[in-house]
Amino acid sequence: MARSSAAGANIEIATGVAVDRADARSLVLAAIGELVDAGNAEWSRSGTGEIELRLLSGEVFVLGEVSVTRVA
């Protein structure tokens, strides 16, 4: 069965609850904020305006508008 596009649609998160894209983004940012507040990560804005997240374990991610990309 083909998967439908997530654009404008609800997204089902791990709990099985459907949330819209804005709510999903808010949940992800809140979880990342908790990592930062706990001292397990740092985030900053790069020279190009992207938000970069660095975990203390060494992983580096770029937070995009609708995606999170691991870069290191």
Side-chain angles (χ1 to χ4, degrees):
M1 183 163 113
R3 299 182 83 174
S4 62
S5 168
N10 286 339
I11 300 168
E12 191 169 330
I13 57 175
T15 61
V17 176
V19 296
D20 67 31
R21 185 180 299 232
D23 289 341
R25 179 179 169 92
S26 294
L27 290 170
V28 169
L29 289 176
I32 290 170
E34 289 178 18
L35 286 171
V36 172
D37 290 344
N40 296 316
E42 296 177 346
W43 56 2
S44 61
R45 192 164 298 273
S46 71
T48 60
E50 297 174 315
I51 298 174
E52 188 175 87
L53 175 70
R54 293 180 172 273
L55 301 181
L56 291 183
S57 55
E59 294 95 338
V60 179
F61 299 87
V62 172
L63 308 181
E65 185 64 32
V66 294
S67 65
V68 177
T69 304
R70 183 175 177 177
V71 294

